[in-house]
């Protein structure tokens, strides 16, 4: 596309924010400080001279993000911002009722997390050319709606139904390939018959229900790995441990 290789990338992972709800600001500030410093280092040849030094003078994540947006604008560059597990700290709310007040303080009114997303909203479409946010719970984004009400939720979009898992066609192609280069003891049809009751029938978009079901990609790959390690015999355990915990 015309925008290929034109963005400067910032990737935040809120799972790495080492903080609880009572000190979330400090944790978010520290995480962003490390990421933003790295951003200044790898794009030092593009950003204005003294950008990193100026960044150090900004007191927190919100002001640092605004500062970087300003500096990128000065050189005519746009940022592609990725935020992974934006709702990470929400898990504490679901587990501990006593955190509810602190949660509301972060996501409502003048809460710091809300301010952070307000800053993103203000720069989106301008210096922040693209923003891609991932998470597992809609709770946090619902509470941040007025702070970040410009995004489009693609989670349940039919056209992305096949993005996070395998169709049976893909599983068959995978098995066909491995059986052509390794001494499999079972045909693709035999392996599909074993795998289907365990891994198939996922559907992420309601409009695709009954049309295209998906195989759990993690468990399919785990099965194939175990099958090979098990000297090409069906594994005793059909469930991957980490998935079972989830």
């Amino acid at each position: 596309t015309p925008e290929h290789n034109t963005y400067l990338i910032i990737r935040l992972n809120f799972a790495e924010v080492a903080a609880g709800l009572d000190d979330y600001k400090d944790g978010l500030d520290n995480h962003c400080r490390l990421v933003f410093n790295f951003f200044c280092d790898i794009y030092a040849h593009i950003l204005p001279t003294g950008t990193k030094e100026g960044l150090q003078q900004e007191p927190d994540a919100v002001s640092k993000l605004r500062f970087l947006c300003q500096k990128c604008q000065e050189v005519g560059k746009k940022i592609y911002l990725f935020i992974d597990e934006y709702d990470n700290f929400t898990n504490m709310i679901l587990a501990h009722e006593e955190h509810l007040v602190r949660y509301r303080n972060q996501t409502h009114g003048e809460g710091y997390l809300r301010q952070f997303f307000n800053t993103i909203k203000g720069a989106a479409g301008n210096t922040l050319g693209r923003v891609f946010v991932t998470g597992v719970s809609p709770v946090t984004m619902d509470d941040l709606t007025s702070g970040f009400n410009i995004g489009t939720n693609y989670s349940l979009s039919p056209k992305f139904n096949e993005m996070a898992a395998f169709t049976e066609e893909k599983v068959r192609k995978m098995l066909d390939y491995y059986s052509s280069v390794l001494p499999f003891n079972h045909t693709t049809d035999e392996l599909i018959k074993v795998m289907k009751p365990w891994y198939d029938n996922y559907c992420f978009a309601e409009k695709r229900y009954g049309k295209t079901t998906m195989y759990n990609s993690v468990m399919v790959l785990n099965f194939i790995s175990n099958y090979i390690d098990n000297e090409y015999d069906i594994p005793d355990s059909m469930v991957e441990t980490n998935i079972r915990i989830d």
Side-chain angles (χ1 to χ4, degrees):
T1 65
E3 296 182 345
H4 180 65
N5 283 342
T6 63
Y7 290 101
L8 308 186
I9 307 299
I10 294 179
R11 181 182 180 275
L12 300 174
N13 184 353
F14 283 9
E16 297 177 2
V17 175
L21 284 175
D22 51 349
D23 58 349
Y24 193 77
K25 180 182 184 300
D26 291 340
L28 182 59
D29 284 346
N30 288 332
H31 177 63
C32 288
R33 175 177 53 81
L34 293 174
V35 173
F36 293 164
N37 282 341
F38 179 69
F39 176 84
C40 290
D41 289 337
I42 61 174
Y43 295 120
H45 61 293
I46 297 175
L47 297 170
T49 302
T51 295
K52 186 174 182 179
E53 290 73 18
L55 182 72
Q56 311 299 335
Q57 305 304 314
E58 300 298 329
D60 53 38
V62 170
S63 58
K64 287 180 188 294
L65 181 59
R66 290 172 181 160
F67 177 82
L68 288 180
C69 287
Q70 177 186 342
K71 291 302 176 182
C72 287
Q73 188 173 25
E74 290 178 11
V75 294
K77 289 293 184 179
K78 291 188 176 183
I79 296 171
Y80 202 133
L81 174 63
F82 292 87
I83 302 179
D84 192 17
E85 298 202 39
Y86 78 93
D87 57 344
N88 178 63
F89 77 100
T90 308
N91 294 330
M92 290 183 287
I93 306 303
L94 302 177
H96 303 287
E97 184 178 354
E98 64 270 19
H99 288 320
L100 180 58
V101 174
R102 293 171 181 168
Y103 171 79
R104 290 186 61 84
N105 289 339
Q106 292 290 345
T107 58
H108 292 71
E110 298 302 317
Y112 192 61
L113 187 60
R114 191 183 188 88
Q115 290 181 39
F116 189 79
F117 276 94
N118 274 333
T119 301
I120 295 173
K121 177 182 176 180
N126 189 13
T127 310
L128 288 180
R130 293 283 188 275
V131 180
F132 189 78
V133 181
T134 64
V136 296
S137 169
V139 176
T140 309
M141 192 55 73
D142 284 347
D143 285 334
L144 291 169
T145 295
S146 62
F148 191 71
N149 59 357
I150 58 172
T152 301
N153 187 345
Y154 288 111
S155 301
L156 304 179
S157 173
K159 64 182 178 181
F160 293 112
N161 183 63
E162 301 175 14
M163 182 177 179
F166 296 149
T167 62
E168 183 167 315
E169 178 185 3
K170 291 180 180 178
V171 176
R172 286 183 173 275
K173 286 183 178 180
M174 192 184 312
L175 294 173
D176 287 343
Y177 166 74
Y178 282 114
S179 64
S180 70
V181 296
L182 295 171
F184 273 29
N185 292 327
H186 300 78
T187 66
T188 294
D189 285 340
E190 289 172 335
L191 292 175
I192 287 291
K193 185 177 181 180
V194 173
M195 298 165 69
K196 191 176 183 67
W198 290 90
Y199 310 144
D200 191 19
N201 212 34
Y202 284 80
C203 185
F204 302 101
E206 185 176 357
K207 289 187 177 181
R208 300 299 298 171
Y209 184 74
K211 299 177 182 178
T212 304
T213 58
M214 310 299 297
Y215 282 69
N216 185 301
S217 55
V218 174
M219 288 198 281
V220 166
L221 295 175
N222 181 72
F223 173 87
I224 294 175
S225 177
N226 288 341
Y227 178 80
I228 294 172
D229 291 341
N230 203 35
E231 297 181 341
Y232 310 103
D233 197 6
I234 305 297
D236 293 330
S237 175
M238 295 292 292
V239 180
E240 205 276 327
T241 304
N242 292 326
I243 294 295
R244 183 173 58 192
I245 293 174
D246 290 340

